[in-house]
Amino acid sequence: MFNFDSIRNMAELLAKKKAMLAACSVKKIVLLGGSSVLYGFNTDEIQRQLGKPTFNIGVNVGLGFQYLLDNVEDSLKPGDHVVLPLEFNQYTNPAYYVFGFGIDTFVHRKYWQNQAKYHQKWKLFFILLKHARSSGTPEKRLRRKAAKLTETGCYLGLDTQVRDPQVLRGISFPKTFQVTTTMQVIADFIARCRENHIQVTLLPPVFYAKEINYVYLEKLYAYFSETVPPDLFRLDASEVYDSLYHANQNGQTRITQKLIALLNNSKNREEL
């Protein structure tokens, strides 16, 4: 059974988040990334504690980073603070990737206008078919319905652990560091933001993993002139919801407080 509801849901979610940003005319905090942002950070709580409009613009890493930017970058203004807790595979995925391809092809029906953005189109098509089959299970449909989106764009109330992280496939890290096209896209975006007086904080993602490649990640963040600890937002096994990049409520609460403390420190340094 093929079910493209999850692709349509991603398109609707992205449209809602695009509208959130467009409607805000004051300085704001914007968290950009994939679903680890969506599940990992309670932007309602960040907004409450920091007293500043805060938006969770996490959808899915499989959109591709440039696809996400094409939808939201125009709404970023001088004085904004962009936080980038990007999934590790965001840096190695193509800048326009499989779910962006799926939205353009099956939702917007604009494949021919957008086909030049995508490479290995048949491969993307077959990945989409595989996803359409696996995402159509009753379990995954119930999980999508259980997720409650707030006005700031995050998911709340996911207080149970649906999947044992020990049975999930681990995060794959490259053996050696190589600069990818998407890394260059991210670096160019950061440079544009800073030229436009938009503050940028590049961070590791919310994730669970038994082992991580510290050598690779040190080189990755050094490319962006960052020295952040790669396990800053690492989840405990009990804090995983249904994916290695998805926090349940307990994990989200703890990780959100860590980000609030970091943003408070950043704010205090700016004021000194």
Side-chain angles (χ1 to χ4, degrees):
M1 174 184 173
F2 295 107
N3 187 307
F4 289 98
D5 282 350
S6 67
I7 303 297
R8 286 186 281 271
N9 289 341
M10 283 182 214
E12 291 173 3
L13 185 59
L14 181 58
K16 287 178 182 177
K17 297 194 169 195
K18 181 177 179 179
M20 286 178 189
L21 284 188
C24 183
S25 60
V26 299
K27 295 178 182 179
K28 55 193 177 290
I29 299 170
V30 181
L31 277 64
L32 285 181
S35 59
S36 72
V37 172
L38 175 63
Y39 286 81
F41 297 104
N42 181 342
T43 37
D44 285 19
E45 185 64 16
I46 296 171
Q47 179 171 271
R48 186 186 71 80
Q49 290 198 36
L50 297 184
K52 190 173 184 178
T54 303
F55 297 97
N56 184 316
I57 311 300
V59 181
N60 192 295
V61 66
L63 290 175
F65 188 73
Q66 186 62 62
Y67 193 96
L68 179 63
L69 289 188
D70 288 352
N71 282 273
V72 302
E73 187 172 359
D74 285 350
S75 295
L76 302 177
K77 307 299 180 186
D80 288 350
H81 184 176
V82 175
V83 182
L84 297 174
L86 301 179
E87 291 88 350
F88 299 126
N89 50 324
Q90 183 77 273
Y91 298 98
T92 53
N93 284 348
Y96 291 102
Y97 198 37
V98 60
F99 293 137
F101 176 79
I103 292 171
D104 282 348
T105 303
F106 297 108
V107 179
H108 298 324
R109 309 284 184 178
K110 293 182 177 180
Y111 166 72
W112 294 111
Q113 294 97 312
N114 295 287
Q115 61 170 323
K117 299 187 299 192
Y118 300 101
H119 303 285
Q120 297 182 303
K121 299 175 186 63
W122 281 110
K123 178 181 178 181
L124 296 181
F125 181 74
F126 284 117
I127 293 174
L128 278 172
L129 290 182
K130 182 179 178 181
H131 172 79
R133 181 181 290 275
S134 65
S135 69
T137 64
E139 178 197 10
K140 289 190 176 181
R141 289 181 189 176
L142 285 173
R143 269 186 273 153
R144 286 198 290 270
K145 290 180 179 179
K148 302 299 182 185
L149 189 72
T150 75
E151 291 185 359
T152 68
C154 63
Y155 278 159
L156 294 184
L158 303 177
D159 57 351
T160 58
Q161 184 168 55
V162 177
R163 300 289 299 280
D164 179 356
Q166 310 304 326
V167 304
L168 297 171
R169 183 182 298 176
I171 297 172
S172 178
F173 294 93
K175 293 181 179 179
T176 58
F177 175 76
Q178 291 182 318
V179 177
T180 66
T181 300
T182 302
M183 289 179 198
Q184 295 170 343
V185 167
I186 294 168
D188 290 344
F189 168 67
I190 293 172
R192 287 196 303 275
C193 283
R194 289 174 176 162
E195 287 173 2
N196 291 316
H197 307 289
I198 297 169
Q199 183 181 354
V200 180
T201 302
L202 182 70
L203 295 172
V206 178
F207 75 101
Y208 173 81
K210 291 181 182 178
E211 298 179 359
I212 61 177
N213 187 336
Y214 284 99
V215 174
Y216 168 80
L217 291 174
E218 182 180 352
K219 293 179 179 178
L220 171 67
Y221 291 120
Y223 171 76
F224 294 96
S225 301
E226 295 286 353
T227 56
V228 294
D231 53 3
L232 179 66
F233 298 136
R234 194 172 184 172
L235 297 168
D236 296 332
S238 64
E239 296 175 331
V240 176
Y241 178 60
D242 66 346
S243 159
L244 297 175
Y245 279 123
H246 294 175
N248 61 21
Q249 184 169 302
N250 289 338
Q252 185 192 72
T253 298
R254 181 177 66 84
I255 295 299
T256 296
Q257 291 304 318
K258 291 193 76 169
L259 179 59
I260 289 170
L262 189 151
L263 293 176
N264 262 326
N265 287 337
S266 174
K267 180 181 178 182
N268 291 338
R269 283 197 300 271
E270 283 188 351
E271 291 175 350
L272 290 175

